[in-house]
Amino acid sequence: MTVPARTLRRLAVAVTVAGTMALSGCGDGSGSGGGSLTLGFVNGDTSGFATCLQRAVEREAKEQKVKLSTVNSQMDAGRELANIEDMIARGVDALVVQTVNVDALEGGITKANAADVPVYLTSLATENASGILGAAAVDLRRLGALDAGWVAEDAGGRPVKVGVVAGSPGASSDLMVTGFTGALPGNATVVANQPGMFNPVKAREVAENMIEAHPGLDYVFVANEDMAFAVRKTFDAAGAKDVRIVTENGTPEGLAAVRDGRFSATVANSPTVIGETAVSNAVALLGGEVGDRAGGEKPDKITHIPLTLITAKNVDDAPQYCPK
C-alpha cells in the first residue's frame, strides 16, 4: 500500500514537535494522546478482551506520542463500516481495526483505500494482505489446536466424547473451532457444537442442552473464558463436575480457574501484546521511528502474536492479559 503524502508530512513534523493536544471522539468514541499523527481505533465489541485491547492501544498511542480516536462497533458489521467511514471523515492518518467479521470488513478496507487511509488489523489478517498496511495476527487455528493437543494427551487413546461451545458465527470463532476439531485425535468424537455467541447467558443455555443430550460428555472446548465460567457452573450444578473444560484468554480469573482445576487448560492470547504491537508496528510501517517493540528493525507486515497453552504446570508463566 502506498502511504499517503499527508501522513508522511505529519510524521516528519511529529519528530520535532511535541504535543499534548487531544483529539475528541464523537458518538461512543474517545480521544487521547499527542503529536501530529492521528490513528483511529475501531473496536469490535465491549467484551473483556476488547476492553483490554483498547486499553493497550490507548497506552501505546501515548507511548508513541500519536493522537488516537476510538469507536466501538458493538459486534455489528454494518456499524463497523459506518465507524470506518466516520473515522475517514475525521481525517485520521491510519486505522487500527479489531473487526467484527473479517469477511464483512472488505467494504471498509475498500473505503479506506479509496481515501488513502491505511488499515492495520488486530487479531486477524485478511487472506489477501495487499489491501492492508499490516496486522498483529493471532493464529486462531493453532489456538484451537493447542487445546485439542491437551485433550489428546489427557485422553490417552481412550474413546472420549467432546462438546464445543463456539462464539458467534464468523471468522474468529470459526477459525478457533476448526483448529480445535481438526486437531483432535481419532479416539475423540465431537458430539455437540453450538454457538454461545461470546455471551455467558447463552453459553449456559448451550451447556444445559449438552448435559441433557450427552450425559456422558468428557471434554468441552469453550471459545472464551467468560463463557467457560458459565459452562463450568452449569455442569457443576448438574453434577457433571468430571467434564473437563479447555478454553482461551489467559485472564487473571482464568488463570485462577486453571490453578484450582475448574479449567483444565487455557491458551494465553494477550490483548495487551496485540494492542501494543499493533500501534507500534503501524507507526513504524507508516514511516515513523522504529520502537523497542519492533526490535529496532522495521516490522514485518504481518506479525504473529505468540500463543501459550497454560496448564497447572506453567500457570505462573502466562503473559499479562490486561494493562493495569
Side-chain angles (χ1 to χ4, degrees), residues 6-7 10-11 22-25 30-42 56-71 87-88 90-97 117-120 122 133 275-287:
R6 64 191 177 95
T7 297
R10 289 188 178 188
L11 280 163
L23 175 66
S24 296
S30 62
S32 64
S36 295
L37 179 67
T38 299
L39 297 179
F41 177 50
V42 181
V57 167
E58 290 170 342
R59 187 173 71 175
E60 187 65 17
K62 290 180 180 179
E63 180 72 20
Q64 296 288 331
K65 297 182 173 62
V66 300
K67 298 176 184 177
L68 178 72
S69 186
T70 66
V71 287
M87 287 290 186
I88 293 169
R90 296 192 207 184
V92 300
D93 294 297
L95 287 166
V96 176
V97 181
V117 177
V119 176
Y120 194 97
T122 58
L133 175 67
E276 290 175 347
T277 301
V279 174
S280 178
N281 285 7
V283 171
L285 290 168
L286 285 166

Side-chain angles (χ1 to χ4, degrees), residues 11-273:
L11 280 163
V13 173
V15 173
T16 57
V17 179
T20 57
M21 296 172 59
L23 175 66
S24 296
C26 64
D28 60 353
S30 62
S32 64
S36 295
L37 179 67
T38 299
L39 297 179
F41 177 50
V42 181
N43 207 346
D45 59 75
T46 57
S47 66
F49 178 92
T51 300
C52 290
L53 176 64
Q54 182 157 320
R55 288 182 190 172
V57 167
E58 290 170 342
R59 187 173 71 175
E60 187 65 17
K62 290 180 180 179
E63 180 72 20
Q64 296 288 331
K65 297 182 173 62
V66 300
K67 298 176 184 177
L68 178 72
S69 186
T70 66
V71 287
N72 199 292
S73 302
Q74 305 286 334
M75 294 186 68
D76 184 327
R79 181 176 289 188
E80 178 176 276
L81 178 59
N83 283 338
I84 289 173
E85 292 172 335
D86 175 58
M87 287 290 186
I88 293 169
R90 296 192 207 184
V92 300
D93 294 297
L95 287 166
V96 176
V97 181
Q98 171 76 7
T99 187
V100 172
N101 186 317
V102 72
D103 296 325
L105 180 62
E106 183 177 350
I109 292 175
T110 299
K111 292 268 188 182
N113 286 344
D116 285 332
V117 177
V119 176
Y120 194 97
L121 300 180
T122 58
S123 297
L124 293 170
T126 52
E127 285 190 15
N128 180 4
S130 62
I132 61 173
L133 175 67
V138 176
D139 187 342
L140 294 173
R141 286 192 179 91
R142 181 171 178 268
L143 186 157
L146 286 171
D147 273 332
W150 185 90
V151 171
E153 182 177 354
D154 189 68
R158 64 187 174 88
V160 293
K161 295 180 180 179
V162 181
V164 173
V165 181
S168 56
S172 61
S173 177
D174 293 350
L175 289 170
M176 278 190 282
V177 170
T178 57
F180 175 77
T181 58
L184 286 172
N187 55 295
T189 302
V190 177
V191 296
N193 183 346
Q194 299 178 48
M197 303 305 293
F198 293 120
N199 183 309
V201 175
K202 178 63 176 176
R204 185 175 66 234
E205 295 174 2
V206 171
E208 289 170 349
N209 293 338
M210 286 186 182
I211 291 167
E212 183 175 351
H214 306 285
L217 208 59
D218 298 292
Y219 300 92
V220 176
F221 170 76
V222 187
N224 73 9
E225 288 174 0
D226 284 347
M227 294 193 297
F229 281 111
V231 171
R232 176 78 277 161
K233 289 178 181 177
T234 304
F235 285 156
D236 289 352
K241 294 184 178 182
D242 291 337
V243 176
R244 296 175 181 177
I245 290 177
V246 294
T247 183
E248 69 92 18
N249 279 144
T251 65
E253 298 80 8
L255 299 180
V258 171
R259 283 191 180 93
D260 64 25
R262 284 173 291 165
F263 300 161
S264 295
T266 191
V267 177
N269 176 22
S270 169
T272 293
V273 176

